[in-house]
Amino acid sequence: MSSRDPDNLLDHDYDGIKEFDNPLPKWWLWLFYGAIIWSAIYVPWAHLGGHLPGAEYEAEVKEAEALHPRKEPGAGFDLAAAAVDQGRIAKGKATFDKLCMPCHGPQGGGLVGPNLTDNHWIHGGKMENIVKTITDGVPEKGMISWKSQLSPDDIVSAAAFIKSLKGTNPANPKAPEGQPEE
Ligand code: HEC
């Protein structure tokens, strides 16, 4: 290292190793100072200003939920009117005969699934309860969620048909399950 200024040689001697007193390169120093200045801005902004990744994620989820609110099953339908609408009941019967009969019996008297004609309900017998049970299902008990196969409108119709079964006397009815309602 003949180009080094011998005057810059420090006094120390580390077991024969000598050290020059070279200044750090300017670009390196400015990077270092820049990082310090940046941290003084960034740390309060991120930690005090609520810009940590977790907080930003939660804010975005909130924003998305405000744009697309979660809808309760049956929201937007007049369920009381639907329950007595003969057109809907007929449509619901067609769905029932195709998809629900294997488990709930040809007349809704129950097979694998419970009797839908009595006044006992496991998940509630009001229109909104029935719509919710059909929409979300009870997968752990063998009643699947139908929302991927049936439109909300079809589900309301199916519920109207089930409502209309109350008090009918199917052959070989399954014993009541759940709680009695009115
Ligand atoms: C694979 C069998 C199966 C099919 C198919 C099926 N269900 Fe079910 N369903 C069940 C079982 C089992 C239960 C009882 C769930 C429990 O014990 O919580 C049930 C429960 C229900 C209940 C709630 C009854 C109560 O007492 O609260 C309704 C309503 C219902 N089903 C409607 C339907 C409709 C409508 C369809 C067709 C679109 C359908 N199910 C198709 C098996 C089925």
Side-chain angles (χ1 to χ4, degrees):
M1 295 276 190
S2 54
S3 64
R4 297 273 163 88
D5 175 2
D7 288 346
N8 264 352
L9 202 58
L10 296 176
D11 268 346
H12 310 286
D13 186 331
Y14 302 96
D15 291 336
I17 299 170
K18 298 278 241 169
E19 189 186 8
F20 283 107
D21 181 16
N22 288 327
L24 286 158
K26 283 270 182 314
W27 65 265
W28 193 97
L29 272 178
W30 281 116
L31 214 63
F32 180 61
Y33 295 144
I36 293 171
I37 293 164
W38 173 245
S39 73
I41 300 164
Y42 180 80
V43 170
W45 176 81
H47 286 261
L48 304 175
H51 291 282
L52 288 176
E56 289 207 327
Y57 168 75
E58 268 163 32
E60 278 180 29
V61 167
K62 250 201 194 132
E63 219 171 89
E65 277 182 350
L67 275 176
H68 309 280
R70 279 172 222 250
K71 277 204 215 134
E72 276 296 304
F77 289 93
D78 181 345
L79 294 179
V84 293
D85 178 335
Q86 294 305 316
R88 272 200 186 280
I89 292 173
K91 232 177 111 191
K93 179 173 169 29
T95 302
F96 184 89
D97 288 351
K98 201 167 77 187
L99 300 173
C100 322
M101 212 162 74
C103 290
H104 289 284
Q107 296 160 302
L111 280 173
V112 179
N115 186 337
L116 298 173
T117 69
D118 58 20
N119 63 350
H120 281 62
W121 295 95
I122 305 170
H123 301 285
K126 297 199 186 72
M127 270 300 274
E128 60 260 37
N129 304 138
I130 298 173
V131 167
K132 187 175 187 323
T133 309
I134 301 171
T135 306
D136 296 336
V138 194
E140 67 279 9
K141 295 285 185 60
M143 165 72 183
I144 66 166
S145 154
W146 292 93
K147 66 175 166 230
S148 60
Q149 293 182 57
L150 295 173
S151 69
D153 195 78
D154 287 338
I155 288 176
V156 169
S157 298
F161 172 67
I162 287 170
K163 263 305 222 192
S164 79
L165 291 175
K166 187 176 175 191
T168 58
N169 287 305
N172 308 317
K174 205 175 168 189
E177 292 168 77
Q179 301 298 317
E181 286 186 20
E182 23 59 76

